[in-house]
Amino acid sequence: MTATTATTPAASAVAAGAAGLTVRKWPRRAAYAGVAGAAGLAVLLPTGTAGAGWFLAGQVLNVNAVRAYPVRVRAHAGNRVTLTRTPDTSRSMPLAFVWSSGHAVLGPVIAMDRTSVTREITTLTRGTLVSGLKGYTTGYVFEGDPLSARGLPFEEVLVPAELGDCPAWLVPPVSGPADDTWIIAVHGRGAPRGEALRILPTLAASGHNTLVVTYRNDPEAFPSPDARFHLGHTEWRDVLSAIDYARAAGARQVVLYGWSMGGAAILNLLRSWEHGGFVRGIVLDCPVVDWTATLRMNARQLNVPPLWTWTALKLIQHRLGVRAADLDYRDVPLDVPTLLYVDHDDRTVAPQPTVALAAASPSVQLVETREAGHCRSWNLDPAAYESTVNSFLKSL
C-alpha cells in the first residue's frame, strides 16, 4: 500500500452506460458507477443541452439505477476463474465478483494478458460459475449478515425514523460488556449496509456496540416521497434517528463512521445539528465532500461538454432545493478527533476536496492512499487499514 498518515490541521450516468452510446470520443464506461451503485443506465442521450442535463441530473439522483454486468467469465476450473480484463479485475486485491444468482470472493491475480485476467477464488459464497456468465466486481467483498459473513453475533433492530422504521444490525463487542460509546456505521449511495462488513470485526473488538444502519431509499427501508437520493441533505435525519436510538439505549457518546455519501450525510448532520459533545469521534472513508467537484470530475472523464454539466448541476440544485454552497462541505468544522481516508486514484468521488477539508481541521488524521480506488483502502491493505482504525478508536 502506498499510504501516508499525517495529522493535518453521472454521466453515463446518462448514457453510454454499460451498453454504451456510440458518440465520438465518448468512452464506453459509466461515470458515477460507484456513486450510483451501478455501472450506468443505457439510455439514448439527447443532443439538446436541456435534455442532456436532465438525464445527467436524473442519474445522480435516481434511486432505481439499472445494474450493468460488464465482466464475463471466460473460463473456470477449480479455484481459478478467468474474467474480462478491466481496471477492477486487474487489481490484485480482495474483491467480490457478483452475478444475478451468485457471489464469489476473488483472491490474487494469477495471470493476465491484454483482454483477460485469471484470479484465485477464495470463497464461492453462492451460485455456480460457468463460462459465459456475466457479472460485476465490487469492493464490498462480503455478502450476508454479520454472523454468516464474519462470525459476529448480532441483533436485527428497527430504528424509528422520520419516514418509518429503518432496519439496522446491532453488533455487540466480541468480549466483555459494552461501554457507553456506540459506533454508528453509515453506508454509501446505492451500497448495502454490508459495506461495513469489511471493518466490522475491528469495530466489534473495540469494546463498543456498533449500529450498522439503513436509511431512506434503501431496499430494506422506505422510499422518500420523491423517490430520489438527496445526496445527504435529508438522509442525515435518519443518521440522527440512529443516534437517538443509541442514546435511548444508554449511549452517552457516539463515533460516526461513514463511507462515500454516508460521509456526506454525516457532514450534513454536523452542519445541521449541535451535537454538544455527544459525537466523540468520526471516521470518513472517501466521503463526498463536494458534489459539484465530483460531478464535474465524472463529466470530464466522459468528455461531457461543460454546458451539459452546468445544466445538470442547476437541475440537481432545483430538484433538491439546495444552493451550490450546500453541496460543498469543506466549511464544516470537524471539532472532534477525525480519521479521514482519501485515495488519490478515486475515479468516483473527487479526492481534492477531502484533502482540503483535512487541511482546514487540526483534529483530522488524514490517511492518503493510491491505486485503491473509491472506498477501497481496506481492500488495498486490510491489515494496515484495520490497525489504523483500531489505534484511532483506542485513542478516543
Side-chain angles (χ1 to χ4, degrees), residues 137-157:
T137 49
T138 174
Y140 307 148
V141 181
F142 302 102
E143 183 181 72
D145 58 42
L147 183 60
S148 64
R150 304 297 267 157
L152 297 170
F154 75 102
E155 181 183 357
E156 183 87 32
V157 300

Side-chain angles (χ1 to χ4, degrees), residues 35-381:
V35 179
L41 179 63
V43 296
L44 183 62
L45 183 65
T47 56
T49 300
W54 182 273
F55 276 120
L56 278 165
Q59 243 343 72
V60 175
L61 305 179
N62 181 22
V63 170
N64 299 308
V66 176
R67 168 63 71 183
Y69 294 85
V71 178
R72 181 187 295 270
V73 175
R74 302 196 169 195
H76 171 240
N79 69 337
R80 296 187 177 189
V81 62
T82 300
L83 303 168
T84 308
R85 179 172 176 172
T86 69
D88 257 9
T89 59
S90 58
R91 295 179 193 265
S92 195
M93 61 171 64
L95 295 172
F97 178 62
V98 185
W99 60 103
S100 59
S101 60
H103 177 281
V105 179
L106 301 177
V109 171
I110 298 170
M112 184 164 48
D113 60 27
R114 187 175 61 85
T115 61
S116 64
V117 176
T118 299
R119 299 188 61 147
E120 178 183 324
I121 302 169
T122 59
T123 306
L124 182 59
T125 313
R126 59 181 174 86
T128 303
L129 282 166
V130 295
S131 296
L133 183 150
K134 292 183 178 180
Y136 62 91
T137 49
T138 174
Y140 307 148
V141 181
F142 302 102
E143 183 181 72
D145 58 42
L147 183 60
S148 64
R150 304 297 267 157
L152 297 170
F154 75 102
E155 181 183 357
E156 183 87 32
V157 300
L158 293 176
V159 175
E162 183 180 43
L163 301 180
D165 290 339
C166 294
W169 295 327
L170 177 55
V171 183
V174 291
S175 62
D179 60 21
D180 57 9
T181 297
W182 285 42
I183 300 172
I184 310 292
V186 189
H187 66 77
R189 180 191 190 280
R193 53 181 154 163
E195 185 166 28
L197 289 170
R198 289 171 292 180
I199 193 60
L200 198 51
T202 301
L203 304 185
S206 69
H208 308 309
N209 282 317
T210 301
L211 191 66
V212 184
V213 303
T214 58
Y215 50 78
R216 62 193 66 197
N217 292 313
D218 277 347
E220 311 100 312
F222 44 80
S224 60
D226 59 3
R228 289 175 180 153
F229 291 116
H230 279 233
L231 311 184
H233 282 271
T234 57
E235 292 85 355
W236 72 266
R237 298 172 191 160
D238 300 329
V239 180
L240 181 58
S241 295
I243 293 172
D244 290 339
Y245 179 94
R247 191 198 303 265
R252 294 188 177 181
Q253 287 183 310
V254 294
V255 176
L256 302 176
Y257 200 133
W259 293 262
S260 195
M261 193 182 85
I266 289 171
L267 291 171
N268 268 288
L269 172 73
L270 296 174
R271 176 183 274 173
S272 307
W273 174 63
E274 291 288 341
H275 65 83
F278 200 75
V279 176
R280 182 174 180 179
I282 300 167
V283 183
L284 302 179
D285 193 329
C286 293
V288 188
V289 174
D290 184 353
W291 283 102
T292 299
T294 291
L295 179 61
R296 285 176 174 160
M297 181 191 75
N298 278 266
R300 285 194 301 270
Q301 290 172 178
L302 283 171
N303 296 321
V304 174
L307 184 57
W308 294 4
T309 307
W310 180 88
T311 303
L313 286 166
K314 290 299 182 183
L315 284 167
I316 289 169
Q317 294 170 42
H318 175 72
R319 292 179 185 179
L320 299 186
V322 300
R323 303 164 302 156
D326 297 327
L327 299 172
D328 186 345
Y329 313 123
R330 279 173 286 197
D331 64 347
V332 174
L334 297 177
D335 57 355
V336 298
T338 301
L339 177 61
L340 191 55
Y341 281 90
V342 64
D343 188 83
H344 288 281
D345 293 311
D346 192 333
R347 295 295 179 262
T348 300
V349 168
Q352 191 54 43
T354 302
V355 176
L357 176 67
S361 305
S363 62
V364 171
Q365 177 184 354
L366 178 66
V367 179
E368 302 175 84
T369 60
R370 295 188 182 276
E371 302 178 3
H374 185 55
C375 290
R376 293 182 178 180
S377 295
W378 179 93
N379 305 71
L380 186 66
D381 192 335

